[in-house]
Amino acid sequence: MTTASTWLVARVVGVHEATPHGRILELRVDGWPGNLAGQHVDVRLTAEDGYQAVRSYSLASSGDADILELAVDEVPDGEVSPYLVEDVRAGDELEVRGPIGAYFVWTPDRPEPVQLIAGGSGIVPLLSMARVHAGSASTAPMRMLYSVRSPDDAFYADELDGLVGGSFALDWAYTRTAPPGSARPAGRVDAATILASTIPPSENPAVYVCGPTGFVEAVADLLVAAGHSPDRIRTERFGGA
């Protein structure tokens, strides 16, 4: 019986360039038990000398399919991400363990408004939620704020733009270079951004924030200062390489 603590062989079946420093990987995992939107896996690499490195990566995929989708942003001088972004090829094998995490998940039976806030590759679990929202009969309002350095640094930009409409809204926050015509000048997410580009606290949304540790902590503080209840804010942060 497969459990979340079991290491499974993952064969790389797809490699797609996503940004100048990021890739989307598709992994076929026989025996995968399925996962909810927002969960993640541990990925283990083993060197020829037996040295092993393990890092956690969120899943853009969900459901029962045995093809897992990860998006990896390269961390300079990292142990795992440079290999996954620069070297891994279709046919290579990795090991994965999961699904992991029951706290940072969303299911379409929840009726309340949902606010998603992503920084960089923190978009991955939130995209999974947006995909499930689009593919279900959910009428819950869902809004996403995606903060990236520039348009070229955005993962899944075209797919996200294609989801806009009906009960899904998308806001962009560019921190270094904003595209021509952008209503918001380049800069970090601040109190004004939260006020203009998120569901107000009066609507009591469930809020999910994912990204680098500094980004997540700053955004969580801004949300609380804006009036959101801390127990309505769920965070997922990363810093591994």
Side-chain angles (χ1 to χ4, degrees), residues 4-5 21 30 57 60 90 129 138 145 178 186 205 228 231 239:
S5 62
H21 42 79
D30 293 336
Y57 289 98
M129 297 177 192
S138 172
L145 172 61
H228 290 270
D231 63 7

Side-chain angles (χ1 to χ4, degrees), residues 98-182:
I100 301 170
Y103 172 72
F104 197 80
V105 300
W106 182 80
T107 54
D109 58 338
R110 299 179 59 179
E112 73 272 24
V114 186
Q115 177 66 56
L116 311 176
I117 304 178
S121 60
I123 189 62
V124 179
L126 306 186
L127 172 71
S128 179
M129 297 177 192
R131 285 173 167 176
V132 170
H133 180 267
S136 71
S138 172
T139 58
M142 179 175 280
R143 188 170 185 177
M144 176 182 288
L145 172 61
Y146 188 9
S147 173
V148 291
R149 287 171 290 191
S150 72
D152 288 342
D153 294 299
F155 285 85
Y156 300 106
D158 290 341
E159 180 177 355
L160 288 168
D161 285 336
L163 294 176
V164 173
S167 56
F168 183 82
L170 175 64
D171 300 90
W172 292 93
Y174 301 99
T175 61
R176 295 185 184 177
T177 305
S182 177

